[in-house]
Amino acid sequence: MPVVVNGVKQLQKAMRDVEPELNKQMSKDIKTAMLIVRDKARGYLPRQNEVLSGWGKPTASIETIKDPKKLFPPYDYAFAKGKVQYSAGQNKRNDKGFKASFYVYNNSRSGAIFETAGRLNKPRYDRSLNPNAPAQFNAAAEMLSSMKGQGMQKGRVIYRAWDETKGKVIPAVVGAINTVATDFNNKTQIRKAA
């Protein structure tokens, strides 16, 4: 899913110092392209009445739980939809040393569970009283939205949206970067000549 474009950070730094308006234009053009992915991803989240009946019901309120991360999060469509967001800033370096700029991410636990359910061959945590719960959950999720992508770069929401829109988004992002880089080079050469 990631598209590696080298030199963008250096270009942005140079533009901030010399031509800040070009940096703003590039960010605006990239955002326009990436919002296509975000909006399409939001459309792949299941509505509240479509999820497994038990998942849509909260088991306890956040206020009464000492450690909410230990509970399987209840699904809330409006919350999950609002947490699929776009960011133009850089994220933290991952375990392989990569950083992302201009990306769409999912910041809700229930949305992330729906995105990746069934990606692994076996469930990581088997705390359910129903030994078939993981298989039933994955089958229900697959009926709502199919996974797209390959390997660990596979999912039902953002990865699916990316897989279906990358033919339109990648050329738009690369075009925005190239246009601004060319304009920047032309403007700085004119200043050097003058």
Side-chain angles (χ1 to χ4, degrees), residues 22-41:
L22 285 177
N23 190 32
K24 289 179 188 174
Q25 184 61 42
M26 182 181 75
S27 295
K28 181 181 164 194
D29 293 346
I30 292 173
K31 180 178 182 177
T32 301
M34 293 302 290
L35 289 181
I36 295 169
V37 178
R38 185 204 65 188
D39 295 343
K40 191 153 186 102

Side-chain angles (χ1 to χ4, degrees), residues 4-16:
V4 179
V5 180
N6 294 317
V8 175
K9 186 176 178 182
Q10 294 84 351
L11 176 64
Q12 285 182 302
K13 185 179 182 316
M15 285 190 304
R16 274 194 302 270

Side-chain angles (χ1 to χ4, degrees), residues 38-191:
R38 185 204 65 188
D39 295 343
K40 191 153 186 102
R42 286 178 172 178
Y44 290 134
L45 286 165
R47 306 259 185 241
Q48 195 69 30
N49 62 345
E50 294 175 327
V51 297
L52 287 171
S53 61
W55 195 27
K57 299 174 189 170
T59 53
S61 71
I62 293 296
E63 293 80 27
T64 61
I65 302 169
K66 290 183 181 175
D67 188 4
K69 291 186 178 185
K70 288 188 176 184
L71 286 178
F72 194 78
Y75 183 76
D76 181 349
Y77 170 71
F79 181 75
K81 183 178 177 183
K83 290 293 187 171
V84 174
Q85 300 169 340
Y86 163 77
S87 177
Q90 289 193 346
N91 66 358
K92 292 189 287 184
R93 214 173 276 284
N94 68 10
D95 58 348
K96 298 202 178 12
F98 290 101
K99 282 180 152 184
S101 298
F102 311 109
Y103 58 97
V104 176
Y105 65 99
N106 187 339
N107 203 19
S108 82
R109 289 178 60 217
S110 57
I113 288 169
F114 181 75
E115 171 92 53
T116 60
R119 191 159 66 181
L120 299 174
N121 291 333
K122 61 180 184 170
R124 284 184 267 179
Y125 309 107
D126 194 9
R127 297 183 193 155
S128 176
L129 297 176
N130 176 0
N132 298 324
Q136 291 169 347
F137 186 87
N138 294 342
E142 190 63 28
M143 288 186 339
L144 292 171
S145 180
S146 61
M147 284 195 146
K148 297 272 180 120
Q150 297 175 346
M152 295 306 281
Q153 301 281 318
K154 181 167 68 173
R156 291 186 176 83
V157 182
I158 296 172
Y159 288 104
R160 181 178 175 189
W162 174 256
D163 193 61
E164 293 176 2
T165 60
K166 66 184 174 188
K168 183 178 179 181
V169 174
I170 292 173
V173 170
V174 172
I177 294 168
N178 285 338
T179 300
V180 168
T182 304
D183 288 351
F184 176 72
N185 287 335
N186 291 340
K187 287 182 179 184
T188 54
Q189 286 175 1
I190 291 170
R191 286 183 183 169

